[in-house]
Structure formats: structure tokens, C-alpha cells
Amino acid sequence: MSVPSRFSRREMFLKIAMLFNGIVGVLLGIPIVGYLLTPVIKGRKPGYERWISLGPIDQFPSGQTRLATYHNPVTRAWDGETADIPCWVRHTDGDHFQVFAINCAHLGCPVRWFSQSGLFMCPCHGGAYYADGARASGPPERGLFEYPFKILDGNLHIQAGEMPTPGLSAGNCTKRPPCA
Amino acid sequence: MRLMQRVGSWLDERLQLGRPIRETMEHPIPRETASWFYVFGSAAMTVFGLQLVTGVLLALIYVPSAGEAWNSLQILNTQVTLGWFIRALHGWGSNFMLAIVLIHMVQVFLFGAYKFPRELTWTIGIFLLLMTLGMAFTGQVLRFDQDAYWGLGIGASIASRVPVLGPGLVSLVLGGPIIAGATLSRFFALHVFVVPGLLMLFVGLHLLLVLKLGINEWPMPGRLVRRSDYVEKYHAMTRTEGVPFVPYGVWKDAVFSGVILLCIAVCALYFGPFGPSGQPDPRVIQTAPRPDFFFLWLYALLSLLPPVLETPVLLIGPAIGLMVLLALPFFSGEGEKSWKRRPIAVLAILLVAVALGTFTSLASDAPWSPVMDAGTGTPVPSHYLSGRTPLEIQGALVFQSKQCHNCHAIGEGGGKRGPALDVVAVRLTGDQLVRQVLQGGGNMPAYGKNLSPAQTTALVAFLETLHPAGQAPAQDASRAAGMQP
């Protein structure tokens, strides 16, 4: 009769041990998952976006569209050249600007400006946009991503910091659509 | 000799691996399976071994930092003794591994090897295929050049389209707000630790199942698989007609693996390493990113799908494909194995092969991409200009300066995004040309805002000259009728 009772005692110990390990596993799992999800959580909380200067507005003559670059506000020391992000600045007139993301609204390839034909063209899948960023043709479902801008002390500032992607377009749009 | 025997038996007393190894070597296989058709699995494993070795060798030099990765690859290519060769072996090994895995899968499918009782072997094989593709993609990222940089942008853009979770997924994939150091580090961890570890585990399971369940017998038309008696019949067959795996089956495996390794080495020597292409500097936008060979079909698909269908196809298509592959052995686990009596199976393979082949060959030409420098770099052929009026020649200039040539071919050069214009005047009248240029339509942007009336007149005058010598340009029939007295 002693065998079954000894068995159940050991079984109980085993179950306690498993339960104990399970609890320890969960306790360890929480920080691990937290660590893994940092880019997501941090991105949502303080946000990655900052106001960044693109330099004096006289760099961008009225009626022209020019390439500008900015240093991404959130970077690490070993990011190298990848921290320098280009964007297209269109100075329509006076204080009116449009600042477009370099990324095609289709799948993120770098669009190029062709001033003579007044088009942005994408080298990857053939998307094309008009001078004001509106979709002209090809696979994109929308116009170019646009950064909110403001002018402070004669400098053009944009709100940027996160690579715009088609699914990310909602939320941070303070200006007229379409916007990043 | 005696010393070696003593060391051997000392080890075996402790490890006790001698017997299982001997049993594995001597296990009987159906005689017909000692065939050249059964060599692909072992060859894939051999190439995986090569990838492990060359991968470790590359990791001795490679720096997984966004600022230094590209430089370290240049140093591997040019300064480290035979660094270029190891890179080339690893790159070509990757292509060969994917090709062999695909061939292996097709062979297994056509020979009905996924049927009872080998369903789990097939399922694990599907995961091995996914991991091999994952290795190819993450490997392409580690070659941190322009193609890798913008390829990551494409990956992130696709991920962003997942409903609700999209933005979070993008941050998770990139490891931060932009493609940068954190992105490369996580792809390094995936390519070097996570996926290879899983691959080794799954290859082990895959092999274990092949040994436990026995290699698939040569399919004979009419010999049906039934769950009730298959295992019994299989063992009866291997007992009576079987031959030991070593040496009957294994010598062909060994020869083929050797040939493949040699082919990889020859390709590596002759063609050299892949890239890296330009530096991963987002400011250098004069680039036309292209994926590696095995993802070209996807590049074509992304260009050719109608915009409305793109997101559903991208997000749901792979899930359906995966489910079909995983469900296959459970829906068709019994019955005929021979491809000679499975016409739908053969047609399915042909369909997939033709589709992938067509997309791949289209992608190597990429007619949907504008030729970005045609406006400045590709002249209008002189025979389209000789004997023309000043207005028409002015139109040819407008054609070049307004980058029409980027999307429209004339003669040999130019883009293929829009139709070639060599005989456009036969298709469209002058009025129709004006309308098309100013208003666009049919996937052409409208140029109304960017052409002065004089430029439009000149351009259309030039376009109206584009018809074969013996063929009249298109006429507006109604106008011609209206002119009648």
C-alpha cells in the first residue's frame, strides 16, 4: 500500500516543481517580450517624430522642387549613412511649401523628380506622381507621403523621424491630405 | 591500427553510438530507390553544410553594423586573401541550395512521397523550404548595399499593410523608426543564429522521419497507398527485395553531392561574389533596386497586380498557398503515387513552373520601370528626324526634354512602361494625340500643366510623323466626312 502513496507524493512534488518553473518562466518571459517589443512600444509612446530643420528657406527657390536631407532625430552611433534621410521640398510660393518623403507610396523605393515633365517617377514598379504629390499612374494607391512643415526664423522645419509606409499613413497627419 | 580500435571501442562503450550508426547504414531500402532521382535531399543537406562552414568563415570578418557592413564586404572582396572566393561560395551556395530544395520538393510531390505515413516529413519539409527562403532574404539584407536597403523598405511597406498590426510590425521588423543599424543587427541575428538553429533542428527531424518511416518506394502505377496495410507491405518489400542503404543508395548521393559542390566552386570561381552594389546611403537616389534571382517573380507580381488587388493578394495569397501545401498530405494521403496517373499533380507543377518562370523572365527585363535616363541618354534615332520640318524637329526635342522617352520607346531605346511610339500616328489621330498628351489616361500621367500650347503643337506634329512609309496616318473619319462638299 505504501507504493501508491509514495508515488502520489512524488507526483505532487513534480507538479509543484513544474508550477514553480512555469511561474519563473512567465516572470522571465515578461522582460524578454518587453525587450523584444521595445521598438513598437517606444515608437507608440513618446513617438519617433520630431521637428527638424531643413535649413534656410532661401535654399528652396520659389517654383522649384529640390532634394534636401536631414539627420534622423532617433539614431544610434553605428547607423552610418543610413541616418541621413532625403526628402523632396517643393516651394510653391511665399510661405507655401510641400515636403514629400523620398519613399514611393507603393512600396517605399526612392522617387526621383523630373522637373521638365513635372513628375516624380519611381524606379522600382513604375509609380508616377504629379508635382503636387498626387498620384499620376502606376501601382501606388495614393499620392506621395507629405511631412507637416513650419517656418521658424527663416528656416524650414518638418516633422519627421519615421519611415513612412502605406499602412502608417493615418494618425500623424496635421496638414491637408495626402500626408505622411 | 590496434590503438585506433582501442580508442574506438573506448569511445563506443561510453557513447554507444556504434550500433545505431551501423543499423542506419545497413537499413534496407527498396532496390529501385537507389536511384539518381533520390539524391536531391542529401545534396540540399550537403550544400547546407557548405553554407554553415562558409558562413562562419565570413562572420570572422563581416561587421554587422550599418555604418561598417558595406566596407567590411569590400575588404572581404579586395583585401582579405580569398575573401572574395568564400563570399562567392556562400552566395552561389545559397542559389544552389534553394534550387535543389525546390527540385527535391517537386520530386517528392510527383513521386507521391508525401502520402501516408510520411505526412509529417512533408510538413517539416515545407517549413524547411520557408526557412531556406528566409535565409535567402535575410542573407540579401546582410549584403548591406542599395538593393538591401530599399529591399528592406519594400519588406516594411508590405508588412505595414497588415490590418491593425501593420505599424507595429514595421517597427518590429526595422527595430526602430527607420532602416538603420538596429535593422541590420536583427537581420544578422536571424540569419546567423535563429534561422540556422531552427534549420538544423528541422533537418534533424526530417532525417529522423526518413529513417523511421523508410524512404519512399519507387511509385508504380496502380500500386495504391492504403492506411490499413501500407506499412506492413512496405516492410515486407524491404525485407524481401531490399538492399542496404550503404553502399547501394549512398554512393549516388555522395557522387551527386560532390558534383554539386564542384559546380558551386566553379560558379564561384568564374562569376565571383554577388555585389555588394552601391553603398546603403539613402541620399543616393540614382538607383534602381532589384531583388535577388529567387525573388524576381515577386518583384514582377508587385508591379503587375492591379492596385486594388495588391494588398489582399500579398497578405492572403501566401497564407492560402501555405495552407494548401500543409493540408496536401491530409487530403490526398492515400491512393495513387505515380505521377503517370496523377495528371492534375503534373499540371499543377507545370502551371507553377510556367508562372514563376514567366514572372522571373519578365522581371529580368522589368518593362514596367521607366528608363530613368532615357530622356538624356537615349537619342531619337536619326531616321525619325531627317527631312522633317523645324516644327516636327522641335517636337522631337520636346519628346526628349519632357522625358517622354523614359516610358515610351522609339526605335531601339527607351522605356516600355507605355506603348512604343514608332507607328503611333497609325493608331491615333492628331486630335487624339493632343487629348492623350494633355489629359493622360490609360496609366499615362496628364501633361496639360507641363506643356505650353506651342510645345504640345510641336510634340504632336512630331508624333504624327511616326508611321510606316507606305501606310497613311490615322484620319478622323467624321471630320473627313464633314469636309465633303
Side-chain angles (χ1 to χ4, degrees), chain B residues 324-445:
Chain B
V324 167
L325 286 174
L326 290 177
L328 177 75
F330 301 100
F331 279 97
S332 123
E334 288 186 306
E336 189 66 62
K337 268 188 178 177
S338 170
W339 60 271
K340 289 179 184 163
R341 296 211 180 160
R342 288 165 56 222
I344 294 177
V346 177
L347 278 176
I349 290 288
L350 283 177
L351 183 71
V352 172
V354 168
L356 290 181
T358 310
F359 282 134
T360 304
S361 82
L362 274 174
S364 52
D365 189 28
W368 49 81
S369 294
V371 177
M372 299 297 241
D373 56 358
T376 48
T378 313
V380 172
S382 56
H383 62 271
Y384 286 114
L385 301 174
S386 60
R388 302 290 181 234
T389 65
L391 181 69
E392 288 159 0
I393 290 174
Q394 182 62 34
L397 276 174
V398 174
F399 179 81
Q400 287 295 102
S401 68
K402 294 290 175 185
Q403 284 101 16
C404 308
H405 215 159
N406 289 19
C407 290
H408 293 282
I410 280 196
E412 293 291 304
K416 296 174 189 163
R417 181 94 187 110
L421 298 181
D422 300 84
V423 293
V424 69
V426 178
R427 290 199 305 273
L428 297 174
T429 65
D431 286 351
Q432 287 169 327
L433 282 168
V434 171
R435 196 212 63 79
Q436 181 65 30
V437 167
L438 294 185
Q439 296 182 15
N443 213 19
M444 175 170 162

Side-chain angles (χ1 to χ4, degrees), chain B residues 100-117:
Chain B
I100 294 170
V101 163
L102 287 175
I103 295 170
H104 177 53
M105 188 177 167
V106 168
Q107 184 267 330
V108 158
F109 178 69
L110 289 179
F111 280 47
Y114 61 87
K115 291 182 186 243
F116 177 83

Side-chain angles (χ1 to χ4, degrees), chain A residues 4 34 54 59 96 123-124 176:
Chain A
L54 291 180
Q59 286 178 38
H96 296 290
C124 285
R176 76 205 98 117

Side-chain angles (χ1 to χ4, degrees), chain A residues 36-37 39-40 44 48 67 69 72 74-76 78-86 88 102-103 105-112 114-119 121-128 130 132 135-141 161-168, chain B residues 65-67 144 149-150 153-154 156-158 160-161 167-168 170-172 174-182 185-186 279-283 285-290 299 302-303 307-308 310-311 368-370 372 401-403 406-407 417 443-447 450:
Chain A
L36 277 177
L37 292 182
V40 184
R44 298 306 126 215
Y48 290 119
L67 193 68
T69 50
N72 205 60
V74 180
T75 49
R76 294 209 171 102
W78 56 91
D79 282 347
E81 293 145 337
T82 58
D84 295 315
I85 310 288
W88 290 110
I102 197 74
N103 305 93
H106 176 225
L107 289 172
C109 285
V111 293
R112 266 185 256 175
F114 289 86
S115 57
Q116 292 86 356
S117 49
L119 289 175
M121 289 191 209
C122 176
C124 285
H125 309 98
Y130 291 115
D132 65 352
R135 176 192 179 275
S137 76
E141 287 189 86
E162 190 163 10
M163 188 181 92
T165 46
L168 215 64
Chain B
S65 136
F144 204 54
Y149 181 89
W150 297 108
I154 292 174
S157 299
I158 293 176
S160 82
R161 298 187 184 193
V170 173
S171 306
L172 202 60
L174 300 183
I178 55 167
I179 303 162
S185 294
R186 55 188 51 213
Q279 277 168 286
D281 185 341
R283 289 168 300 182
I285 58 168
Q286 279 73 21
T287 174
R290 295 284 179 270
Y299 168 50
L302 290 171
S303 306
V308 208
E310 197 170 293
T311 304
W368 49 81
S369 294
M372 299 297 241
S401 68
K402 294 290 175 185
Q403 284 101 16
N406 289 19
C407 290
R417 181 94 187 110
N443 213 19
M444 175 170 162
Y447 283 81
N450 288 296

Side-chain angles (χ1 to χ4, degrees), chain B residues 34-358:
Chain B
S35 150
W36 290 110
F37 278 101
Y38 281 66
V39 295
F40 301 112
S42 60
M45 202 169 72
T46 308
V47 181
F48 180 45
L50 174 77
Q51 294 302 87
L52 288 177
V53 173
T54 50
V56 170
L57 292 176
L58 291 177
L60 299 180
I61 305 289
Y62 181 77
V63 183
S65 136
E68 295 301 332
W70 192 85
N71 292 331
S72 70
L73 292 176
Q74 291 296 346
I75 285 170
L76 265 167
N77 273 0
T78 56
Q79 291 178 27
V80 176
T81 310
L82 288 174
W84 66 272
F85 185 60
I86 304 296
R87 280 202 67 229
L89 279 178
H90 199 66
W92 281 100
S94 154
N95 279 350
F96 270 80
M97 184 166 161
L98 251 172
I100 294 170
V101 163
L102 287 175
I103 295 170
H104 177 53
M105 188 177 167
V106 168
Q107 184 267 330
V108 158
F109 178 69
L110 289 179
F111 280 47
Y114 61 87
K115 291 182 186 243
F116 177 83
R118 302 184 179 83
E119 301 95 332
L120 190 60
T121 327
W122 168 267
T123 311
I124 291 176
I126 299 297
F127 286 110
L128 286 173
L129 171 71
L130 292 180
M131 287 176 211
T132 311
L133 281 170
M135 287 304 279
F137 183 78
T138 51
Q140 183 185 314
V141 170
L142 295 201
R143 195 182 62 225
F144 204 54
D145 55 13
Q146 281 176 341
D147 288 348
Y149 181 89
W150 297 108
L152 278 168
I154 292 174
S157 299
I158 293 176
S160 82
R161 298 187 184 193
V162 176
V164 186
L165 299 176
L169 269 179
V170 173
S171 306
L172 202 60
V173 169
L174 300 183
I178 55 167
I179 303 162
T183 320
L184 182 60
S185 294
R186 55 188 51 213
F187 276 86
F188 182 76
L190 284 175
H191 186 82
V192 174
F193 300 109
V194 181
V195 187
L198 287 174
L199 257 174
M200 281 191 262
L201 179 73
F202 275 65
V203 166
L205 282 174
H206 199 67
L207 261 185
L208 184 75
L209 283 170
V210 172
L211 288 174
K212 292 270 177 203
L213 304 170
I215 191 87
N216 184 42
E217 79 281 4
W218 189 272
M220 301 292 274
R223 190 160 67 195
L224 303 185
V225 178
R226 276 190 301 267
R227 285 197 171 86
S228 51
D229 62 354
Y230 176 82
V231 176
E232 217 173 288
K233 276 185 174 170
Y234 180 84
H235 286 304
M237 180 170 65
T238 51
R239 259 199 311 277
T240 53
E241 306 164 27
V243 291
F245 172 61
V246 179
Y248 283 81
V250 80
W251 76 268
K252 285 180 179 162
D253 284 324
V255 168
F256 186 72
S257 288
V259 168
I260 289 296
L261 287 183
L262 201 63
C263 288
I264 294 173
V266 168
C267 283
L269 266 178
Y270 187 76
F271 297 106
F274 293 93
S277 67
Q279 277 168 286
D281 185 341
R283 289 168 300 182
V284 181
I285 58 168
Q286 279 73 21
T287 174
R290 295 284 179 270
D292 282 358
F293 179 78
F294 278 99
F295 297 102
L296 278 176
W297 63 273
L298 186 62
Y299 168 50
L301 199 65
L302 290 171
S303 306
L304 297 176
L305 275 172
V308 208
L309 277 181
E310 197 170 293
T311 304
V313 168
L314 273 183
L315 299 182
I316 303 168
I320 293 179
L322 190 61
M323 280 202 293
V324 167
L325 286 174
L326 290 177
L328 177 75
F330 301 100
F331 279 97
S332 123
E334 288 186 306
E336 189 66 62
K337 268 188 178 177
S338 170
W339 60 271
K340 289 179 184 163
R341 296 211 180 160
R342 288 165 56 222
I344 294 177
V346 177
L347 278 176
I349 290 288
L350 283 177
L351 183 71
V352 172
V354 168
L356 290 181
T358 310

